[in-house]
Amino acid sequence: MRYASRRQCSGCGPMGDGIFRSGDRGPVTGEMTAWRVRRPGPIDSGPLERVREPIPAPGPGELLVRVRACGVCRTDLHVSEGDLPVHRAGVVPGHEVVGEVAGLGDGAEGFAVGECVGIAWLRHTCGSCRYCLRGAENLCPRSLYTGWDADGGYAEFATVPADYALPLPAGYTAAQTAPLLCAGIIGYRALQRAAVPEGGRLGIYGFGGSAHLAAQVALARGAEVHVMTRGAAARELAAGLGAASVQGAADRPPVQLDSAIMFAPAGDLVPPALEALDRGGVLAIAGIHLSDIPALNYQRHLFQEREIRSVTANTRADAHEFLALAAEYRIQVTTHGYSLDKADRALADLAHGRFTGAAVLVP
């Protein structure tokens, strides 16, 4: 299994504007470009503002990371539009960050300057609550998140606690790796929550950045995958990746499903997804935000031991497991590149369904 835990960042592309060079060991100073959520609201109203500001200094136990690529996640859209409550006013979004360690805060261990590193959604847990102690740190009441509680990767530099930074799988470019760090990890967590039986039938509702990665893991494990999604391009991508059937977002699949995952943030798809489940089937809802679910009928939607399960973030163990699988399976990552100065355009295109796969910002 190829898993690069100590990899020099040679595959991330040219060094750029010369603020930092591999081998430098002094403090990194100067200014950077970043995007901040100044006025949460509809993406077409311009909630993000591009700014020039000082490069952040890493705090105790933190790494300073020069961003090579940052994936554009639907959670970034929820933060920008105000679907999620403001945790940090004027936050820099972005939590699918691939970069190069540019500096070390006091006491930071595990990585060296010049190594490739990943910054993901989970940024801090207390380590002492009953959830952390039982291995469910994603449920920690004092958990903190990149791009929501702390500034993220819609910038040229970002910081991350070294204990929450991720080593990266070999064999991918920076742009290909970025979506793995949330879309891939949370899709993997959703697969685990969906409890797909060996050789089982899995339904996937919505087929964007996370879904197209989770589908490949499910297929590699022997599942039969059926995709329900809007948009001809998304249906074409699903078919090309090996889905057994592809139909409209609310259409009935041709078979009863053992498990299903809801990636679309549309509560009105929950009833048809439950109706498509076979006896004992499980529906996992993967998103951090979901529109209201219409009234359910117990006999039609839940009887015969059908279940609904939510997915709340992920653990670091989930992240390491998935990234090891990514090294083993060689997942096909469909990306659409945007320069950093087009971050607002990338989020608008995501909101309006103008691309398939995942958008990635490249400073």
Side-chain angles (χ1 to χ4, degrees), residues 33 36 46 133-134 174 203 313 329 331:
T33 296
R36 292 194 174 276
L133 293 177
R134 75 183 193 207
Y329 291 154
I331 294 170

Side-chain angles (χ1 to χ4, degrees), residues 60-339:
E62 290 186 342
L63 310 175
L64 175 66
V65 176
R66 178 165 183 148
V67 178
R68 297 306 188 190
C70 182
V72 177
C73 179
R74 189 164 291 274
T75 301
D76 302 333
L77 184 62
H78 295 318
V79 169
S80 300
E81 295 197 313
D83 295 326
L84 297 179
V86 174
H87 278 196
R88 176 174 180 161
V91 74
V92 176
H95 55 274
E96 298 178 331
V97 183
V98 173
E100 178 178 0
V101 178
L104 306 173
D106 291 343
E109 298 179 349
F111 295 92
V113 168
E115 288 187 48
C116 282
V117 67
I119 303 176
W121 177 237
L122 186 67
R123 185 181 183 89
H124 169 80
T125 55
C126 73
S128 59
C129 70
R130 64 193 184 101
Y131 305 103
C132 288
L133 293 177
R134 75 183 193 207
E137 65 179 1
N138 60 311
L139 301 179
C140 175
R142 294 188 285 279
S143 56
L144 300 175
Y145 300 95
T146 305
W148 193 17
D149 297 288
D151 290 339
Y154 285 25
E156 292 177 295
F157 287 84
T159 63
V160 62
D163 288 345
Y164 291 80
L166 296 172
L168 301 176
Y172 297 84
T173 66
Q176 291 168 337
T177 304
L180 301 179
L181 295 173
C182 180
I185 293 168
I186 208 66
Y188 175 72
R189 176 98 187 163
L191 271 175
Q192 302 297 88
R193 294 285 289 161
V196 186
E198 185 175 353
R201 296 166 171 173
L202 171 67
I204 292 180
Y205 289 80
F207 207 73
S210 188
H212 92 286
L213 302 176
Q216 293 178 67
V217 176
L219 288 164
R221 290 176 159 183
E224 179 182 301
V225 175
H226 299 266
V227 173
M228 281 60 68
T229 190
R230 66 179 187 177
R235 292 196 290 270
E236 183 178 350
L237 176 60
L241 290 174
S245 75
V246 184
Q247 41 272 315
D251 291 345
R252 189 74 173 256
V255 296
Q256 290 290 102
L257 304 173
D258 299 302
S259 305
I261 303 174
M262 182 74 59
F263 286 103
D268 58 357
L269 294 179
V270 170
L274 288 171
E275 287 189 56
L277 290 177
D278 204 349
R279 298 174 181 225
V282 176
L283 170 64
I285 298 176
I288 192 172
H289 172 78
L290 187 73
S291 61
D292 290 342
I293 300 172
L296 299 178
N297 178 280
Y298 177 69
Q299 294 293 330
R300 198 163 80 235
H301 299 126
L302 293 172
F303 190 56
Q304 295 174 337
E305 300 194 353
R306 298 182 183 95
E307 297 181 42
I308 302 177
R309 298 178 179 177
S310 66
V311 177
T312 301
N314 61 271
T315 66
R316 281 172 285 178
D318 292 328
H320 286 280
E321 289 170 15
F322 170 72
L323 292 173
L325 288 174
E328 180 180 1
Y329 291 154
R330 192 60 183 92
I331 294 170
Q332 177 182 323
V333 186
T334 301
T335 63
H336 299 267
Y338 292 78
S339 61

Side-chain angles (χ1 to χ4, degrees), residues 35 43 46 48 154 340-349 361:
W35 288 86
I43 195 64
L48 272 69
Y154 285 25
L340 179 61
D341 63 359
K342 301 295 184 185
D344 53 348
R345 173 64 182 273
L347 274 178
D349 287 351
L361 305 178

